[in-house]
Amino acid sequence: MTSRIFGYVSGSLTDDVQAGLSIAYAKQFDGWGENLADGKDVHRADNDLNVRSKFFFEPTSSTTIKLLFDYAHRDGTNGLNFRPYPGTKPLLPGYRQGGSKWDIDNAQAGDLRFDGGGAALTIEQDVGFAQLVSTTSYRRYSSFTNFAASMVPQPAQIIDISRSGNQETEELQLLSKASSKLKWVFGVFGIRSSETVDPLSVKLFGPLAPAPDSLALIDISAKTVAKSIAVFGQSSYEVLPRLNFTAGLRYTYEHRSFTGGETGMLNNGFDLGALPIPAVPPTVSFNNVSWRLALDYQLTPSTLLYASNNRGFKSGGYNGLDPTNPPYLPERLDAYEAGMKTELFDRQLRLNVAGFYYNYQNIQVSRFLQTATIYNGGQAHLYGVDIDVDAKLGAFTIEGGLEYLHNKFTRFPDAQFSVPQPNGGSLITSGDAAGNHLPFASTFSGNLSLTYTTALAGGDLALNVNGSHNSGYWLEPDNILKQPDYDLLGASIRWAPSNARYTLRLWATNLLNKAVIGFIASSALGSETDYSNQPRTFGGTLTIKFR
């Protein structure tokens, strides 16, 4: 059972100042599964608190100030709860199969604690010919997680991770007036972030540390500091009646610094001090030019055609959890898209269709060594089509979507291959993944929602059923292990009186009780999987409005 409480209040503090406060708290009394090793619940959020507040102030008719605060706290056993991939065995003996895929049999459940929050200040100033917007923000967090990678009830390898970090950003934008025929924006964005790992502890027991002089503890400490600045501009102009052309350009410079090391201790308590590790460059710098070119044409009042070309990038950096790994390079994406957006039959039918082609260079891929790390995976091509529909047919509302996605690595000569062994564990090697599918990329997915609304007992009753289908996806670049195709089904009943003071909703999710793999970490210990989606769940929600 899970209880959730949400409250929101807003109003005027003075004639010029408005404020709002929202608080959401959830407590999960029963986990989705059980750890057979100790009989305790796993996949359970013991406490989940989110607080947000905002203030809106207008000191003059041309100046507005917005101030936002937020804070979040989470703890429970909803971290990484590993069990073997179906049909595979752990390297170490002793694993017992649970009654459901949310059960584990592990020496350590996936504990997780998180505290974080921040503030953002936005000032908007009318400067006559344009609008000047300044956004300043600060964020800070700390987290602790521990889990066992061995997937067996006897302690063998337990990992504890303590992390903390902070981030400061500043963005200045100068925007054209809403009435201007030429729409434009120019700006500059800066960010500084720092993350500290202190420590990440790898604890080895039993068969992984059998002798008094066996390595029993590795402590990893690391600090990564990133600084980045970007200047950008974009403008849109109606070059012909109903035909708009948009062009944007962005230059980004990034500098990252890294310090880190490992210390070790033997089973007999002897302190090895600093362990020798490969040299990693202490700093790296990246720069990038990205752009956007787009055309849109209002074919009719209800039909818009568009086409675009975008170049973007994802930052490179360090694997802060593993100082033995070199920094990874930025990922570059060239994206091409064309489609149409329509609202037909007096807005009773909305139909959007888009075709796309993506070309990735230095695509970033995750793998598991001591911990999860990122490395570059060469080149990949993706193309496909998206279709979204929203229709109103009398008392019925139909919403749905389809996506077909062709996805392949076209160059990946040194991909990590994890081959499950018949007697347990995995053989970790490397190979050429060119021609393989990308991890977690489905060839086909679709969703459909049907809602029937009618008047009942002085209010509105809405009956909904919704479902989705996924063709499945490969879990790693080697395309050895796969999440099979699956279907999800949900339903709800909602009733609200005509005065809308309160709403009652009864709902059910994942009625077919499908378990879906959301994370995998293959290592010599085996193919470690985590089923992180929610099982079959029933509930009710009561919403009350106070005025």
Side-chain angles (χ1 to χ4, degrees):
M1 185 179 76
T2 301
S3 66
R4 299 181 186 274
I5 301 174
F6 174 79
Y8 177 75
V9 60
S10 64
S12 298
L13 299 181
T14 68
D15 291 340
D16 299 321
V17 180
Q18 287 81 45
L21 174 66
S22 66
I23 300 176
Y25 177 75
K27 184 174 181 63
Q28 189 176 340
F29 296 93
D30 301 303
W32 301 340
E34 178 188 354
N35 185 3
L36 303 182
D38 59 15
K40 296 181 180 180
D41 287 356
V42 293
H43 296 292
R44 185 184 68 198
D46 292 337
N47 296 282
D48 191 341
L49 172 67
N50 289 273
V51 181
R52 299 178 62 88
S53 65
K54 60 181 179 180
F55 299 85
F56 181 83
F57 177 46
E58 268 188 313
T60 71
S61 59
S62 60
T63 306
T64 61
I65 299 174
K66 300 174 185 177
L67 183 60
L68 290 86
F69 298 95
D70 69 274
Y71 169 77
H73 168 82
R74 294 188 293 274
D75 64 71
T77 57
N78 52 358
L80 294 174
N81 291 287
F82 285 136
R83 57 181 284 131
Y85 179 87
T88 69
K89 300 178 181 178
L91 177 66
L92 304 176
Y95 171 74
R96 296 165 295 179
Q97 182 79 27
S100 81
K101 290 184 177 180
W102 288 276
D103 292 338
I104 65 172
D105 187 20
N106 224 330
Q108 174 64 58
D111 290 331
L112 174 66
R113 296 197 302 270
F114 174 88
D115 283 280
L121 173 66
T122 300
I123 302 174
E124 299 181 13
Q125 178 64 51
D126 189 333
V127 292
F129 71 98
Q131 192 81 0
L132 179 64
V133 180
S134 168
T135 302
T136 307
S137 71
Y138 174 80
R139 302 201 63 79
R140 187 175 183 86
Y141 82 94
S142 64
S143 69
F144 173 79
T145 183
N146 62 348
F147 58 92
S150 51
M151 301 176 287
V152 293
Q154 299 79 21
Q157 184 190 78
I158 295 178
I159 298 175
D160 301 341
I161 307 174
S162 294
R163 284 192 283 190
S164 61
N166 59 73
Q167 174 183 288
E168 306 96 38
T169 68
E170 172 61 39
E171 182 172 10
L172 288 173
Q173 289 187 6
L174 191 64
L175 301 93
S176 61
K177 290 286 193 178
S179 58
S180 174
K181 186 175 182 180
L182 175 66
K183 309 293 184 185
W184 52 264
V185 57
F186 297 99
V188 59
F189 174 80
I191 181 173
R192 181 191 182 280
S193 65
S194 175
E195 181 177 75
T196 300
V197 178
D198 189 22
L200 184 156
S201 297
V202 181
K203 304 173 184 177
L204 305 176
F205 306 88
L208 299 184
D213 59 351
S214 296
L215 183 63
L217 174 66
I218 302 173
D219 274 342
I220 298 171
S221 60
K223 183 175 183 178
T224 306
V225 177
K227 300 176 183 178
S228 177
I229 189 167
V231 292
F232 58 89
Q234 180 171 297
S235 62
S236 181
Y237 187 73
E238 188 177 12
V239 293
L240 293 173
R242 296 180 292 171
L243 178 65
N244 295 302
F245 173 66
T246 299
L249 192 66
R250 182 186 184 100
Y251 173 78
T252 303
Y253 172 79
E254 292 190 351
H255 178 83
R256 294 176 181 263
S257 61
F258 177 80
T259 56
E262 298 183 355
T263 60
M265 181 177 292
L266 302 182
N267 241 341
N268 57 20
F270 182 75
D271 190 349
L272 295 174
L275 300 177
I277 60 175
V280 172
T283 63
V284 291
S285 298
F286 310 111
N287 59 76
N288 176 268
V289 176
S290 54
W291 63 77
R292 172 174 173 78
L293 300 172
L295 284 171
D296 65 81
Y297 180 66
Q298 196 72 47
L299 181 64
T300 69
S302 59
T303 303
L304 176 72
L305 306 178
Y306 67 91
S308 66
N309 164 232
N310 298 275
R311 168 167 288 187
F313 89 113
K314 183 191 293 185
S315 174
Y318 291 94
N319 286 297
L321 298 181
D322 191 346
T324 67
N325 270 265
Y328 53 91
L329 298 174
E331 174 184 284
R332 194 185 79 186
L333 170 63
D334 288 298
Y336 305 85
E337 183 175 340
M340 70 173 183
K341 297 183 178 183
T342 66
E343 289 185 337
L344 307 173
F345 306 113
D346 196 24
R347 298 186 175 181
Q348 297 301 297
L349 172 64
R350 178 181 59 83
L351 175 64
N352 298 334
V353 180
F356 56 89
Y357 172 80
Y358 296 158
N359 180 19
Y360 284 93
Q361 301 284 345
N362 291 325
I363 189 169
Q364 295 171 5
V365 182
S366 295
R367 63 180 170 185
F368 193 85
L369 297 173
Q370 287 186 117
T371 59
T373 61
I374 297 174
Y375 69 124
N376 292 105
Q379 188 173 4
H381 290 172
L382 296 83
Y383 60 82
V385 61
D386 274 317
I387 302 175
D388 293 306
V389 64
D390 184 345
K392 294 182 179 179
L393 302 174
F396 290 91
T397 299
I398 303 172
E399 298 172 293
L402 298 173
E403 181 183 81
Y404 167 78
L405 177 65
H406 174 93
N407 62 93
K408 292 288 183 70
F409 288 109
T410 56
R411 183 174 57 84
F412 200 169
D414 57 350
Q416 176 173 295
F417 277 51
S418 308
V419 185
Q421 300 298 290
N423 295 325
S426 296
L427 173 64
I428 306 300
T429 182
S430 62
D432 190 349
N436 287 1
H437 292 274
L438 276 67
F440 294 90
S442 304
T443 300
F444 174 81
S445 60
N447 63 85
L448 182 65
S449 173
L450 176 64
T451 303
Y452 173 74
T453 304
T454 187
L456 179 70
D460 292 325
L461 178 71
L463 307 177
N464 172 267
V465 61
N466 58 84
S468 65
H469 173 76
N470 189 296
S471 63
Y473 43 79
W474 297 100
L475 297 170
E476 296 173 299
D478 55 25
N479 284 189
I480 296 175
L481 304 179
K482 187 177 184 180
Q483 165 62 50
D485 65 288
Y486 61 91
D487 300 292
L488 300 176
L489 181 66
S492 67
I493 302 174
R494 181 181 62 85
W495 182 79
S498 57
N499 60 20
R501 289 291 302 273
Y502 60 89
T503 302
L504 177 63
R505 181 172 176 264
L506 303 176
W507 48 266
T509 62
N510 196 4
L511 284 168
L512 303 177
N513 207 36
K514 296 292 185 179
V516 182
I517 297 174
F519 185 84
I520 188 167
S522 290
S523 71
L525 295 172
S527 301
E528 306 149 30
T529 57
D530 183 17
Y531 292 86
S532 52
N533 72 307
Q534 186 168 281
R536 182 188 295 119
T537 305
F538 302 91
T541 303
L542 175 64
T543 303
I544 304 174
K545 295 182 180 180
F546 301 93
R547 298 176 181 173

